[in-house]
Amino acid sequence: MEILLQLIYSGVSLGMIYAVIAFGYQLTFQTSDTLNFGQGDALMLGAMVGLTLVNLGVNYWLMIPLVIVFGLLQGALVERVGVRPAIKIKSEFGWIMSTIALGIIFKNVAENVWGRDDLRFPSPLPESPLKVFGANVLPMEILVVVGAVLMMLAVEFFNRKTIYGKAVVATFNDRDAAKLMGINTGLVITFSYALSSATAAFAGVLIAPLTLTGATMGAVLGLKAFAVAIIGGLTSGMGIIVGGIILGIAETTTGFYISTGYKDVPGLVLLLAVLAIKPAGLFGKTAIKKV
């Protein structure tokens, strides 16, 4: 029972990282019906920039806002260079190839700047585990869960309680109507991409002390976060959290009780099942468009 509880703790921590990255997918989808397939690379860049700042002597807690600012700029660049031209010409697939291409470019740049070897990110918290209901939990795993929840709550507060957030919600509800009401929808889409990459960069510095940091760390995380977004529903914040936790726990328990070689299988099986039975996601709503 203690082992199972420990696997659940680790799964929840991993799942919340998936949820934060998937939250970024949701942000861009809501405002522009597009997705940034370079989310994993945004996470990787955040972790690598954070590691560089820490090695230069910057305190971990002071480094986090700097990395978030970097993520904002990186996301805005992706939207301006890769997404906006595709939206202007109403290309259905241009933004897909553009975001994938930019992700590959960012990965290659990271390999040339930081090298191809995985690096260790120093933990800001003690590495000795804590006992919670008889199971061991790393302090950093607790920080990951708390940080992920706070980040998503902050974005939700921004969307619901601020005038700029309401512009984002209005663009999501009806982009054409929002434009007629005087909202700069282009700027809103840019901001959603900036915020999406900022959340991924934040997730990068959260998970980096628990794993190795390298140019390839974002590829698998970004793909699994996309699976979480589809499983939970691209229109549901709660669905993304639930989907992340389900996938995280499924991976840790499968890896321990069956084999680490099969730990990715449950998530993929669940993804296929959801796509077959409820394509909008477990908590998503099917959009009905009048023509």
Side-chain angles (χ1 to χ4, degrees), residues 52-76:
T52 300
L53 292 173
V54 169
N55 288 339
L56 290 174
V58 179
N59 181 274
Y60 179 88
W61 309 108
L62 295 178
M63 170 272 296
I64 290 178
L66 297 177
V67 167
I68 290 176
V69 171
F70 171 81
L72 289 169
L73 297 174
Q74 187 259 342

Side-chain angles (χ1 to χ4, degrees), residues 77-265:
L77 175 66
V78 169
E79 192 277 336
R80 289 282 180 170
V81 174
V83 178
R84 180 165 296 197
I87 292 178
K88 279 186 177 180
I89 63 174
K90 300 186 185 304
S91 171
E92 293 185 10
F93 305 106
W95 56 269
I96 298 176
M97 298 308 301
S98 295
T99 54
I100 292 175
L102 286 170
I104 294 172
I105 292 171
F106 290 140
K107 176 176 170 291
N108 289 339
V109 169
E111 287 178 340
N112 284 282
V113 173
W114 289 284
R116 297 190 176 188
D117 295 332
D118 290 329
L119 307 171
R120 186 179 181 279
F121 197 115
S123 176
L125 299 177
E127 297 187 15
S128 55
L130 304 174
K131 282 283 186 182
V132 179
F133 298 112
N136 292 327
V137 184
L138 291 174
M140 199 65 209
E141 290 179 333
I142 298 174
L143 178 62
V144 164
V145 175
V146 172
V149 171
L150 289 177
M151 168 60 82
M152 289 186 282
L153 287 176
V155 174
E156 283 297 312
F157 177 84
F158 172 83
N159 285 340
R160 295 175 184 273
K161 300 297 182 180
T162 69
I163 187 67
Y164 301 105
K166 290 178 180 178
V168 172
V169 175
T171 303
F172 162 62
N173 289 331
D174 193 322
R175 197 190 315 169
D176 293 331
K179 189 181 293 186
L180 291 174
M181 293 298 292
I183 296 173
N184 188 340
T185 55
L187 185 61
V188 169
I189 293 173
T190 301
F191 177 75
S192 70
Y193 265 82
L195 193 57
S196 169
S197 291
T199 58
F202 176 67
V205 296
L206 281 183
I207 197 173
L210 292 172
T211 183
L212 294 175
T213 306
T216 60
M217 67 179 292
V220 175
L221 289 171
L223 182 61
K224 290 181 179 179
F226 180 67
V228 165
I230 299 301
I231 291 170
L234 277 166
T235 59
S236 171
M238 179 59 68
I240 282 176
I241 293 175
V242 173
I245 292 174
I246 290 173
L247 183 58
I249 294 176
E251 285 189 6
T252 55
T253 52
T254 301
F256 181 83
Y257 288 113
I258 301 177
S259 169
T260 54
Y262 291 102
K263 69 183 181 67
D264 296 328
V265 172

Side-chain angles (χ1 to χ4, degrees), residues 277-290:
I277 299 170
K278 200 172 186 297
L282 296 176
F283 293 81
K285 296 179 180 179
T286 304
I288 300 175
K289 291 186 178 181
K290 295 182 180 180

